[in-house]
């Protein structure tokens, strides 16, 4: 097979003194951090749609990317070249996992049958490449938002024919994910939401979304797919309101419909920003509910109100993210999937390498800092002291369910002098800085 990225050799760890832009300065896959190697902690994944299929187009302009398969005309030949290129890229980047939508792999055919045939042909190639290189599939998914047939939603479409079509796509995508040993399967409700309530039966749409997910759970069981099922929240874009708004909303939805034991959450940093939350907030909500499954690693631009899917470079955010992930005991079988794309102006193949290196180093540094924070226990100790009142006396009685309003009323009458305590936010922020900067 031809070499697609001849300008880059294997990207290696060279340490923080290195000035080689094609080297890792922090990501050292074999390095043991706490109880695992960096590779085991971070479980990086290439997002096929951005790194391989994406061509740099945006709302205002056509594709700008130069890619090594541009000379090929036949869409199936392009699809094949992309599959080989993806594996070369993963090897050169030392990334073990990839993720895809069914539609990323192969062109849509004239019929659903033909579309599946095209996808199957590429899946065979992926299978061979995976066996040869040991690379693994973090998750598969079906794109139920791109084609005009999904303009009013997929499982939440007013048209049951669309619901059925979407079910067929998920059925096949799940089978493929299983065939390739995928460790998770993702549902991102791309158009599962509404544009206006004037035309929307919200109750029926939500009920149908739950019906659809129950069918998915049943089918996974039927075919023996044991990977983790994940829901990826996003508040808006493409629709004005997405039903999977944020982690708390998704957990409420799953519990309402008896689906919570079957799903975990795939948290995307940029989606958190769009929901008005920090990345850490979303991870925390998922973690304390035992629902933290996987991460779409990227970042937004706080001045832009859409999903810019930039590579993570903000070390504060990656540190606090890795802190939550360590306290969660890791992400496996989930991982850190770079749902991130290079900017439209970064149109050369080599920019794909720079983007991934930046993201991997930002997370590796974040992991190193977070590990020291966890080991020192400085933050957890502060928090523990802050809530010490709930371990004895009246606090313990509240926590143990031994008192109600009547008893608390009596207690408050005799204990109405309250001693204030500082939350010490600035002191803690400075401690965090010490860990990041030292
Ligand atoms: C879009 C989503 C999408 C999912 C997979 O905003 O992030 O890329 O991760 O469908
Ligand atoms: Ni995503
Ligand atoms: Ni996104």
């Amino acid at each position: 097979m031809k070499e697609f990225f001849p300008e880059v050799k294997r990207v290696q760890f060279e340490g923080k003194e290195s000035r080689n832009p094609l080297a890792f300065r922090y990501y050292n896959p074999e390095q043991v951090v706490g109880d695992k190697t960096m590779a085991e902690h971070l479980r990086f994944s290439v997002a096929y749609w951005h790194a391989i299929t994406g061509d740099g187009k945006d709302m205002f302009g056509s594709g700008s990317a130069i890619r090594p398969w541009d000379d090929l005309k036949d869409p199936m030949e392009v699809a094949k070249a992309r599959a080989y290129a993806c594996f070369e890229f993963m090897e050169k980047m030392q990334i073990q996992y990839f993720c895809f939508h069914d539609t990323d792999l192969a062109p849509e055919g004239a019929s659903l049958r033909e579309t599946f045939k095209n996808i199957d042909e590429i899946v065979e190639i992926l299978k061979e490449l995976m066996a040869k290189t040991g690379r693994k599939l973090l998750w598969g998914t079906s794109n139920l938002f791109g084609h005009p047939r999904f303009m009013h939603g997929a499982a939440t479409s007013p048209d049951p024919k669309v619901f059925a079509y979407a079910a067929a796509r998920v059925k096949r995508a799940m089978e493929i994910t299983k065939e390739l040993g995928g460790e998770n399967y993702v549902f991102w409700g791309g158009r599962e939401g509404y544009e206006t309530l004037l035309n929307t039966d919200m109750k029926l749409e939500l009920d149908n979304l739950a019906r659809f997910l129950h069918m998915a759970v049943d089918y996974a069981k039927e075919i023996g797919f044991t990977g983790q099922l994940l829901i990826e929240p996003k508040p808006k874009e493409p629709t004005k309101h997405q039903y999977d708004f944020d982690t708390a909303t998704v957990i409420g939805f799953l519990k309402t419909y008896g689906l919570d034991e079957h799903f975990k959450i795939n948290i995307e940093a940029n989606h958190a920003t769009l929901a008005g939350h920090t990345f850490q907030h979303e991870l925390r909500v998922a973690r304390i509910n035992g629902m933290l499954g996987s991460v779409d690693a990227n970042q937004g631009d706080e001045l832009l109100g859409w999903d810019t899917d930039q590579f993570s470079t903000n070390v504060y955010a990656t540190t606090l993210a890795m802190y939550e992930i360590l306290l969660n005991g890791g992400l496996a079988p989930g991982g850190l999937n770079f749902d991130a794309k290079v900017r439209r102006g970064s149109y050369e193949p080599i920019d794909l390498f720079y983007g991934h290196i930046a993201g991997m180093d930002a997370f590796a540094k974040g992991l190193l800092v977070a590990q020291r924070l966890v080991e020192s226990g400085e933050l957890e100790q502060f928090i523990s002291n802050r809530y010490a009142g709930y371990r004895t006396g009246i606090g313990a009685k509240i926590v143990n369910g031994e008192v109600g309003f009547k008893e608390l009323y009596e207690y408050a009458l005799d204990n109405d002098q309250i001693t204030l305590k500082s939350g010490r936010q600035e002191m803690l922020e400075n401690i965090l800085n010490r860990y990041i900067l030292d």
Side-chain angles (χ1 to χ4, degrees):
M1 232 319 130
K2 99 171 211 200
E3 193 179 10
F4 291 93
F5 307 105
E7 66 276 41
V8 182
K9 301 289 153 237
R10 197 157 186 263
V11 177
Q12 308 278 8
F13 171 70
E14 291 184 6
K16 67 176 179 184
E17 303 308 326
S18 172
R19 293 294 173 266
N20 174 3
L22 286 171
F24 297 121
R25 299 171 64 245
Y26 294 97
Y27 183 59
N28 182 6
E30 312 302 326
Q31 185 179 330
V32 176
V33 180
D35 57 349
K36 288 183 220 143
T37 63
M38 274 201 184
E40 287 164 340
H41 276 290
L42 297 167
R43 298 169 59 83
F44 290 127
S45 159
V46 168
Y48 210 96
W49 54 102
H50 284 316
I52 305 300
T53 315
D55 63 3
K57 70 168 152 312
D58 69 16
M59 296 282 280
F60 300 96
S62 54
S64 61
I66 293 175
R67 292 294 177 253
W69 44 84
D70 287 345
D71 54 322
L72 300 173
K73 296 278 167 292
D74 173 20
M76 277 309 281
E77 289 310 308
V78 172
K80 285 178 200 164
R82 282 176 171 152
Y84 287 103
C86 182
F87 278 71
E88 184 189 320
F89 184 73
M90 282 193 280
E91 290 222 66
K92 289 190 167 170
M93 284 304 306
Q94 304 203 47
I95 294 181
Q96 300 301 321
Y97 290 92
F98 68 112
C99 295
F100 61 74
H101 301 85
D102 47 3
T103 49
D104 305 331
L105 300 182
E108 182 115 2
S111 65
L112 184 54
R113 281 193 181 83
E114 198 182 311
T115 300
F116 284 151
K117 203 175 128 276
N118 291 349
I119 295 171
D120 288 347
E121 215 177 309
I122 304 300
V123 167
E124 282 314 306
I125 296 175
L126 294 180
K127 231 188 262 174
E128 273 169 38
L129 287 167
M130 289 172 79
K132 209 167 98 196
T133 63
R135 260 53 188 181
K136 293 172 277 188
L137 177 61
L138 187 67
W139 50 261
T141 187
S142 176
N143 177 329
L144 305 178
F145 46 88
H147 193 279
R149 68 173 71 86
F150 299 120
M151 64 169 64
H152 302 301
T156 63
S157 166
D159 183 350
K161 254 177 121 173
V162 177
F163 186 104
Y165 185 96
R169 295 294 296 237
V170 171
K171 175 180 179 290
R172 193 67 200 112
M174 200 181 263
E175 289 161 0
I176 290 167
T177 303
K178 176 175 184 266
E179 248 171 84
L180 297 177
E183 299 182 25
N184 305 267
Y185 185 92
V186 163
F187 293 85
W188 172 59
R191 289 190 196 270
E192 313 293 27
Y194 65 80
E195 294 295 340
T196 170
L197 287 175
L198 295 177
N199 66 11
T200 302
D201 184 341
M202 191 193 251
K203 175 81 169 74
L204 180 65
E205 291 202 359
L206 285 165
D207 288 351
N208 279 350
L209 182 56
R211 289 184 181 108
F212 192 90
L213 294 174
H214 271 293
M215 290 179 199
V217 168
D218 291 346
Y219 192 67
K221 207 162 154 199
E222 198 179 319
I223 62 171
F225 174 65
T226 52
Q228 176 66 57
L229 304 181
L230 297 165
I231 307 244
E232 182 178 321
K234 186 174 184 180
K236 57 188 169 195
E237 195 206 11
T239 63
K240 166 202 177 84
H241 175 90
Q242 303 260 136
Y243 291 134
D244 297 334
F245 194 92
D246 63 359
T247 301
T249 309
V250 169
I251 292 174
F253 169 86
L254 292 173
K255 284 192 194 288
T256 302
Y257 290 99
L259 284 159
D260 48 311
E261 60 176 295
H262 304 293
F263 288 86
K264 285 194 173 168
I265 315 288
N266 182 37
I267 290 173
E268 178 163 321
N270 203 163
H271 297 182
T273 318
L274 293 180
H277 302 311
T278 60
F279 186 17
Q280 186 189 14
H281 167 95
E282 285 293 85
L283 293 165
R284 177 74 61 94
V285 174
R287 173 168 77 79
I288 62 174
N289 283 286
M291 301 284 269
L292 177 50
S294 199
V295 166
D296 269 8
N298 62 14
Q299 70 184 28
D301 183 316
E302 294 194 352
L303 302 181
L304 298 176
W306 66 92
D307 199 9
T308 57
D309 287 333
Q310 291 167 236
F311 279 93
S312 329
T313 52
N314 180 335
V315 178
Y316 275 82
T318 58
T319 297
L320 293 171
M322 288 315 300
Y323 187 69
E324 295 299 325
I325 291 167
L326 288 177
L327 293 183
N328 192 58
L331 278 178
L336 296 174
N337 169 49
F338 285 115
D339 193 350
K341 59 180 179 229
V342 290
R343 299 304 85 196
R344 187 164 182 265
S346 308
Y347 65 95
E348 294 178 339
I350 201 167
D351 291 309
L352 291 172
F353 289 86
Y354 292 135
H356 285 78
I357 292 169
M360 292 164 78
D361 261 354
F363 270 99
K365 174 69 180 171
L367 167 65
L368 291 166
V369 178
Q371 176 66 24
R372 286 196 287 124
L373 266 172
V374 170
E375 271 167 16
S376 79
E378 241 179 295
L379 294 183
E380 295 313 298
Q381 192 57 51
F382 183 89
I383 293 174
S384 168
N385 291 342
R386 189 164 184 235
Y387 296 89
Y390 283 96
R391 292 199 289 274
T392 57
I394 192 69
K397 287 192 177 140
I398 293 172
V399 169
N400 297 330
E402 289 164 12
V403 289
F405 271 10
K406 266 196 313 215
E407 294 78 7
L408 290 172
Y409 175 86
E410 294 305 328
Y411 175 88
L413 288 180
D414 296 332
N415 293 275
D416 60 347
Q417 297 307 306
I418 288 168
T419 320
L420 295 176
K421 277 192 196 144
S422 167
R424 298 269 185 262
Q425 180 171 335
E426 296 75 10
M427 181 192 84
L428 293 166
E429 286 167 344
N430 202 27
I431 290 176
L432 175 60
N433 273 358
R434 197 180 81 221
Y435 279 87
I436 293 178
L437 299 173
D438 281 1

